[in-house]
Amino acid sequence: MSNAKEVRPFGIRDKVGYMFGDLANDFSFIFASTYVMVFYTKIMGISTAMVGTMFLIARCIDAFTDIGMGRIVDSSKPTKNGRIRPWILRMCGFVALASFLMYQSFLVNAPYGAKVAYMFVTYILWGSIFYTSINIPYGSMASVISSEPKDRSSLSVFRSVGGTFAGILIGVMAPSLVYYTDEAGNQVVSAGRISLVAGAFSVIAVICYLLCYFMTTERVEYVPKTTEKKSVGATLKSLLTNRALLGMIVSAVLLLLASLMGQGINVYLFADYFKNTSALSIFSLLMLPCVILMAMFSTKLATRFGKKECGVAGMAASAVLYLIMGILHIQNVWAFVVGAFFAMLGMYFFQTQCWALVTDVIDDVEVQTGSRDDGTIYGIYSFSRKIGQAIAGGLSGWALGWIGYDSLAAGQTQEVANGIYNLSTFFPAVIYLLCALALQFIYPLSKKRVDSNVAELQKRANAQKNA
């Protein structure tokens, strides 16, 4: 009992520390999502088809490494610094180094096969091995930093804030650092600069990982499994038939589809429908005030009414507002920007809280099975999100083809422009509605059930101590 008294109470230090963890992740992940294909194609001269093939192979490998790392985390034994948290310290240097190595151009004049081999090795080493080895423990950590639903909601919000800040910093800083203007006025990617930027971001990522490690504390005590250890196959079969996990995955993948599809289509919306690309920058910055507003209110709302309940209301509200915008067929770009701001608020509520659903699912599985599988559950969730990202990555291109978009034309016909507008409004309206329905009818963890699970696990933990 004396050890328990020494544990620092949960507070702002944990929230900010956890936020730094997502900042660290995204200094390599968002930068890679934005620039790794640019580097491979424009600097290394590798075909887009080969890069796409590599991405597909990497996602297949992720199916094993994400869940495998989850099992490793679940098998980790407690140390004086925690059970899951030490993985941040162990792996932060490796993921940063692997990220830096992806952007080295010393093989630019080498045979094509050598360049492709280097691309495959460094990208898979970074994304499928080292990034996975730190992201799975990081995501699993939220369930052991605190057992309180309110605290977990706060961690989810701060994680979302961290990701948003990283996205804005990279979006604002990287283009001016990576590109230069040649004598003809063209924007050209600099091999040396992109390598330096990758190195700087890797160093910043390590600093943020260390801040995450030293500012957070594990408080949920590890209870050894009393049931017989299951095989990987039996564990996966049990988890993949769990309604709460399936509901969370369906709703999260739907959210990703709508969000990433929107990001891809909005570039064409402002260029070809509104013919005002300068407004796109302001529109892109809207996510910051949206996330800030949700950071201020979402935890209080989730604590009072429940994460599921507020998520359903938020996604339904966003669906209705996007539907209205689609029907109105707004012509004025600034009216659209204002409408989109309010339409995104409900969506951003769920986005800031979706990470907290993972911890609720982990608790629910433990109550039902007696087995706590933090890492495995987060590994399955992480892999499902990657599949959603892969689908969404191609969806915007396919959708533009369906409406007749001509990439070689200087301008699009009015019919195509209207099709782009419809994609940017009716598509999110439908997907957000489906997300609300998935939360309502598939995901079973209401506020009452979440609170009941927390009480049951606390009761079991107390009984274990007194045994």
Side-chain angles (χ1 to χ4, degrees):
M1 296 296 291
S2 58
N3 290 337
K5 293 179 181 179
E6 296 174 1
V7 177
R8 173 178 52 82
F10 178 87
I12 189 65
R13 175 174 165 180
D14 294 280
K15 299 175 190 178
V16 174
Y18 199 65
M19 179 190 74
F20 275 119
D22 207 52
L23 267 172
N25 274 345
D26 287 336
F27 267 114
S28 67
F29 183 79
I30 292 181
F31 187 65
S33 299
T34 309
Y35 289 102
V36 78
M37 178 173 268
V38 172
F39 176 79
Y40 290 147
T41 57
K42 293 193 174 184
I43 293 177
M44 300 301 289
I46 299 172
S47 71
T48 55
M50 182 61 73
V51 177
T53 300
M54 181 196 66
F55 288 157
L56 178 62
I57 292 173
R59 296 295 79 80
C60 294
I61 295 173
D62 289 344
F64 298 95
T65 58
D66 281 8
I67 297 171
M69 188 63 206
R71 293 285 289 181
I72 291 171
V73 169
D74 290 336
S75 301
S76 298
K77 301 301 181 183
T79 70
K80 64 177 182 179
N81 296 315
R83 183 171 64 92
I84 300 176
R85 187 169 142 258
W87 284 103
I88 304 296
L89 188 63
R90 292 169 191 156
M91 304 309 301
C92 64
F94 292 106
V95 70
L97 179 60
S99 177
F100 176 63
L101 289 175
M102 282 196 297
Y103 304 94
Q104 303 310 302
S105 58
F106 62 90
L107 289 176
V108 68
N109 295 316
Y112 189 75
K115 292 190 287 188
V116 170
Y118 184 81
M119 176 185 72
F120 267 83
V121 170
T122 54
Y123 182 80
I124 291 173
L125 196 64
W126 167 73
S128 298
I129 307 298
F130 292 131
Y131 182 79
T132 291
S133 70
I134 201 165
N135 183 51
I136 300 302
Y138 169 73
S140 306
M141 264 174 58
S143 65
V144 296
I145 291 176
S146 174
S147 62
E148 294 297 323
K150 179 180 178 181
D151 298 341
R152 291 172 172 181
S153 291
S154 296
L155 291 173
S156 181
V157 168
F158 273 78
R159 175 174 183 170
S160 297
V161 170
T164 301
F165 276 124
I168 291 174
L169 285 171
I170 293 169
V172 171
M173 293 169 55
S176 61
L177 297 172
V178 167
Y179 288 93
Y180 70 92
T181 305
D182 65 10
E183 294 179 358
N186 300 312
Q187 293 290 297
V188 181
V189 182
S190 167
R193 288 185 183 184
I194 201 170
S195 179
L196 287 174
V197 171
F201 284 169
S202 292
V203 171
I204 295 171
V206 170
I207 294 171
C208 289
Y209 279 131
L210 292 176
L211 287 170
C212 175
Y213 174 79
F214 287 110
M215 293 178 72
T216 56
T217 300
E218 291 189 24
R219 294 175 182 81
V220 177
E221 293 189 23
Y222 172 69
V223 178
K225 296 180 181 180
T226 55
T227 57
E228 183 180 346
K229 187 176 180 180
K230 296 180 181 178
S231 66
V232 175
T235 300
L236 291 178
K237 181 179 178 181
S238 173
L239 292 176
L240 292 175
T241 55
N242 181 274
R243 185 178 159 193
L245 179 60
L246 291 176
M248 176 184 67
I249 287 174
V250 169
S251 58
V253 168
L254 287 170
L255 176 65
L256 270 175
L257 283 176
S259 300
L260 296 178
M261 172 76 166
Q263 291 173 19
I265 293 297
N266 284 337
V267 176
Y268 300 93
L269 174 71
F270 283 87
D272 298 304
Y273 179 80
F274 290 119
K275 302 186 187 304
N276 187 340
T277 54
S278 61
L280 178 60
S281 298
I282 296 174
F283 180 81
S284 299
L285 287 172
L286 282 179
M287 62 179 174
L288 182 58
C290 281
V291 170
I292 290 174
L293 278 173
M294 290 301 99
M296 294 169 61
F297 300 111
S298 65
T299 298
K300 293 179 181 179
L301 290 170
T303 301
R304 181 171 181 180
F305 300 107
K307 292 184 280 293
K308 169 184 172 173
E309 292 81 356
C310 290
V312 171
M315 296 307 292
S318 288
V320 170
L321 289 174
Y322 269 110
L323 178 63
I324 292 172
M325 290 170 63
I327 293 171
L328 292 177
H329 218 81
I330 299 169
Q331 303 290 324
N332 183 279
V333 65
W334 301 114
F336 181 87
V337 167
V338 171
F341 173 81
F342 289 103
M344 288 192 296
L345 286 175
M347 178 273 291
Y348 269 108
F349 172 86
F350 179 57
Q351 190 172 86
T352 58
Q353 290 295 321
C354 67
W355 301 110
L357 299 187
V358 183
T359 57
D360 291 343
V361 171
I362 290 170
D363 283 355
D364 189 67
V365 170
E366 184 178 8
V367 167
Q368 293 184 47
T369 67
S371 175
R372 189 166 188 88
D373 299 302
D374 310 68
T376 305
I377 290 172
Y378 189 82
I380 294 171
Y381 178 65
S382 175
F383 176 66
S384 67
R385 285 178 62 89
K386 289 178 180 178
I387 294 299
Q389 289 165 352
I391 295 171
L395 193 57
S396 58
W398 298 332
L400 287 171
W402 294 334
I403 64 172
Y405 186 86
D406 185 356
S407 59
L408 299 178
Q412 302 300 315
T413 65
Q414 189 59 47
E415 181 182 3
V416 172
N418 290 337
I420 292 172
Y421 183 89
N422 291 336
L423 281 175
S424 67
T425 52
F426 289 122
F427 183 84
V430 171
I431 298 300
Y432 289 157
L433 178 60
L434 290 175
C435 185
L437 293 174
L439 283 172
Q440 178 65 34
F441 295 108
I442 302 177
Y443 184 74
L445 302 187
S446 63
K447 182 179 186 301
K448 180 179 179 181
R449 182 159 164 179
V450 168
D451 291 341
S452 173
N453 285 342
V454 171
E456 173 63 24
L457 291 177
Q458 186 60 53
K459 178 182 175 182
R460 293 182 187 180
N462 291 336
Q464 183 79 12
K465 288 180 185 177
N466 298 327

